[in-house]
Amino acid sequence: MSNIPENVRYTETHEWVRKDEGKYTIGLTDYAQHEMGEIVMAELPEVGTEATKGDSMGGLEAVKTAEDFYAPLDGEVAAVNEELESNPALINEDPFAGGWLYAIKASDDSQFDGLLTAEEYKTHIGE
Amino acid sequence: MDKRTPLYEKHVALGATMQSFAGYLMPIKYGAIQKEHMAVRENVGVFDLTHMGEFRVTGPDSAAFLDKLLTNDASIDNGKAYYSTMCYPDGGIVDDLIVYRIADQEYLMVVNAANLDKDWAWVQSHLQGFDLKVSNESDETALVAVQGPRAQEVCSKLTDVDLNGIGYYEHTTGTFAGVDALIARTGYTGEDGFEIYMKYPDAEAVWNSVMEAGEEFGIVAVGLGARDTLRLEVGYPLYGNDIDHSTTPIEAKLGWVVKLKTDKPFIAREVLEQQKAEKPGRYLVGMKVIGKGFPRHGSPLFSGDRKVGIITSGSIAPALGQAVCLGYVERGFQKRGNELEAEVRGKRIPLKIVKIPFYTEGSRK
């Protein structure tokens, strides 16, 4: 069973989104990191990049597969997790904290409320 | 509905991620692929490869039949084995396989699971005129591979057969873990190791015994994920990725398994002879990524603005800590040291053509 904390929201493309002070932090869900396996490279966006909900913002390379990740909200990239450059395995080891991907300063806060709840995401992945 | 190998319950109990592969539900990984990979490089790992297909060829014309069907030479001693391609008349590859010579008039062909039905049909369609019998034993034959520098230490605890007497690509029949088995020093990892063939009902006894005997060496179960990274790291081609109907053994640098030096006729001989003489338009080469990025199967290859090839396999090489690839490049661009670029998600990743195998420290005898 995957870890699906309730203090964050989710997307159908397996990102989690946490509302922080002035920005939204985004990462890969525990379910998705487990499905992908060991992540060996994270290609992150640059700070300042414009984000449009649904756009590919970067990619993750696992041993066997590669997956893009997508902007859950409109806005601008406010921060990226530079730790992942040298240690992409953090995404596997600590997906909801140390393995965060990037943060967005949202242009429309109401989009956050439209994201999946933990309960809805759980249904989405069939658990 | 996917088939299950006789070791299915073992994999599930070990927490394996099971996935459909070639009609079987197979373990892709038990934990981390790179850990399984390194266990085989450094110590020993055990694989369930029961999905592989086995055809037994028996009868007076066995050697002549295989010589017609396969590109490599069937004239080997009993107790030896050979690797070969099997080609269509146009030189494209039906499959790559290992053939064990059991006796004067008996061989065992071991083919890729994904090609099993196609291969069986191909074999059946060429029987006419040969005095022999071919039986498909795939659904009754299990295969457990024990691979890694400590493999012999593990296996020697389970058999009275003198394993030192079995050289690379040699085999014998004997009792292994209390059951009748074909014991072969073969594998596809670049390491020393054994492939143990047995009947389905005996597989569990073999698996359990290998696990127990290997405990002191830190044996781990290894899934198909690490099987792929292990073979790529030593530059072995994988059917469906690096070779298929659209590629020939000459292009794939498998000319060493095409018996052009003999005078034996075989399917595709003329085409391959001509291609070798005229040189193929492209070659399979090994490439290392310079810097970051992971080109994958299907990524196009460029020299400047010119598209000169395509990646057929790409992954991290865990023992080298960097990404490596196999791919075809146009003749003229295949030289070692040549730098190319792969395109991945709109970005160019620089690569350098290097010698295969990428990993050269393997314990293979």
Side-chain angles (χ1 to χ4, degrees):
Chain A
M1 277 309 204
S2 306
N3 181 17
I4 309 175
E6 292 185 357
N7 64 332
V8 298
R9 291 294 185 95
Y10 296 88
T11 67
E12 290 182 355
T13 46
H14 310 290
E15 292 89 8
W16 56 261
V17 185
R18 188 179 67 220
K19 190 173 190 169
D20 291 333
E21 197 69 38
K23 62 182 192 316
Y24 295 87
T25 301
I26 296 150
L28 189 71
T29 65
D30 180 47
Y31 170 81
Q33 70 77 17
H34 188 261
E35 286 289 301
M36 282 192 78
E38 307 127 81
I39 291 164
V40 290
M41 192 182 85
E43 202 182 307
L44 300 173
E46 282 175 28
V47 172
T49 304
E50 196 184 320
T52 305
K53 188 177 157 100
D55 276 4
S56 170
M57 299 302 288
L60 299 173
E61 297 282 348
V63 176
K64 295 293 290 176
T65 56
E67 296 285 351
D68 280 9
F69 54 84
Y70 303 92
L73 309 162
D74 295 338
E76 190 184 298
V77 175
V80 300
N81 184 357
E82 302 195 347
E83 291 264 320
L84 299 179
E85 173 84 19
S86 58
N87 189 8
L90 276 175
I91 298 167
N92 299 112
E93 291 157 10
D94 194 11
F96 291 102
W100 66 283
L101 298 174
Y102 67 111
I104 284 181
K105 191 171 181 305
S107 49
D108 175 4
D109 288 303
S110 73
Q111 284 183 333
F112 180 76
D113 298 322
L115 296 172
L116 302 178
T117 62
E119 199 57 39
E120 287 164 342
Y121 182 66
K122 201 172 172 180
T123 307
H124 175 62
I125 60 176
E127 286 192 358
Chain B
M1 188 64 182
D2 287 316
K3 292 187 208 174
R4 295 176 175 191
T5 81
L7 298 169
Y8 172 84
E9 299 294 342
K10 293 278 154 196
H11 306 317
V12 171
L14 287 166
T17 303
M18 304 297 290
Q19 247 176 50
S20 174
F21 179 82
Y24 284 84
L25 209 47
M26 296 300 290
I28 301 302
K29 57 178 180 172
Y30 299 85
I33 290 174
Q34 295 186 86
K35 281 194 185 130
E36 292 167 24
H37 180 111
M38 291 313 296
V40 174
R41 286 272 176 262
E42 291 169 353
N43 294 301
V44 58
V46 57
F47 304 68
D48 176 10
L49 304 178
T50 299
H51 60 310
M52 302 290 284
E54 292 85 10
F55 305 154
R56 192 175 299 273
V57 184
T58 48
D61 290 343
S62 295
F65 174 70
L66 290 172
D67 266 335
K68 180 191 172 185
L69 212 61
L70 306 183
T71 59
N72 208 352
D73 197 342
S75 307
I76 56 167
D77 291 339
N78 299 340
K80 300 218 180 226
Y82 65 102
Y83 174 74
S84 184
T85 48
M86 176 158 75
C87 285
Y88 293 103
D90 65 3
I93 301 172
V94 181
D95 202 359
D96 65 330
L97 66 159
I98 286 184
V99 183
Y100 298 94
R101 186 165 200 174
I102 310 293
D104 285 350
Q105 299 189 2
E106 181 179 354
Y107 291 82
L108 186 70
M109 305 168 71
V110 179
V111 304
N112 280 303
N115 294 332
L116 186 84
D117 294 345
K118 177 184 78 176
D119 289 354
W120 181 244
W122 187 253
V123 164
Q124 290 293 308
S125 69
H126 291 88
L127 291 176
Q128 209 174 8
F130 291 100
D131 181 10
L132 54 82
K133 205 181 102 201
V134 185
S135 51
N136 186 346
E137 300 182 355
S138 304
D139 283 344
E140 57 197 74
T141 308
L143 169 53
V144 172
V146 186
Q147 300 278 303
R150 317 294 301 260
Q152 181 161 336
E153 290 171 82
V154 175
C155 292
S156 63
K157 289 162 78 174
L158 301 173
T159 182
D160 291 334
V161 169
D162 175 21
L163 297 179
N164 283 321
I166 305 175
Y168 186 54
Y169 265 69
E170 293 180 359
H171 60 90
T172 190
T173 48
T175 303
F176 189 95
V179 307
D180 291 336
L182 174 73
I183 305 163
R185 197 187 289 268
T186 49
Y188 218 58
T189 60
E191 298 298 331
D192 187 25
F194 294 88
E195 292 187 305
I196 318 290
Y197 297 84
M198 74 232 66
K199 296 284 176 208
Y200 261 34
D202 295 332
E204 198 175 329
V206 168
W207 179 271
N208 289 342
S209 302
V210 167
M211 280 300 221
E212 205 180 302
E215 200 178 348
E216 62 172 304
F217 306 107
I219 198 165
V220 299
V222 186
L224 296 184
R227 177 167 158 85
D228 188 38
T229 55
L230 284 160
R231 69 89 197 167
L232 177 59
E233 205 168 64
V234 285
Y236 295 167
L238 174 64
Y239 195 94
N241 276 43
D242 311 299
I243 52 175
D244 60 26
H245 190 167
S246 74
T247 65
T248 74
I250 304 296
E251 293 169 342
K253 299 248 184 82
L254 294 173
W256 63 277
V257 300
V258 184
K259 52 180 178 265
L260 293 177
K261 284 182 185 146
T262 71
D263 57 3
K264 293 179 180 178
F266 59 92
I267 294 170
R269 175 166 187 135
E270 293 71 26
V271 175
L272 296 176
E273 216 155 28
Q274 189 183 349
Q275 191 177 45
K276 195 184 173 197
E278 291 174 358
K279 294 186 178 162
R282 58 178 185 168
Y283 291 97
L284 189 69
V285 297
M287 289 158 280
K288 272 187 182 173
V289 171
I290 306 166
K292 295 191 71 175
F294 288 89
R296 304 281 184 176
H297 179 81
S299 306
L301 278 166
F302 292 89
S303 176
D305 288 337
R306 180 165 168 190
K307 183 171 182 282
V308 297
I310 192 156
I311 298 284
T312 53
S313 286
S315 166
I316 192 161
L320 302 173
Q322 72 158 119
V324 298
C325 314
L326 292 174
Y328 286 94
V329 298
E330 260 180 53
R331 176 151 53 92
F333 291 89
Q334 82 277 16
K335 266 180 82 173
R336 235 175 264 165
N338 204 6
E339 292 189 12
L340 300 172
E341 289 179 315
E343 193 176 276
V344 180
R345 287 196 298 268
K347 283 188 187 162
R348 293 286 184 93
I349 298 172
L351 305 160
K352 188 192 244 175
I353 297 178
V354 297
K355 194 173 182 220
I356 294 171
F358 305 107
Y359 178 77
T360 53
E361 310 293 309
S363 57
R364 198 190 92 181
K365 298 259 157 106

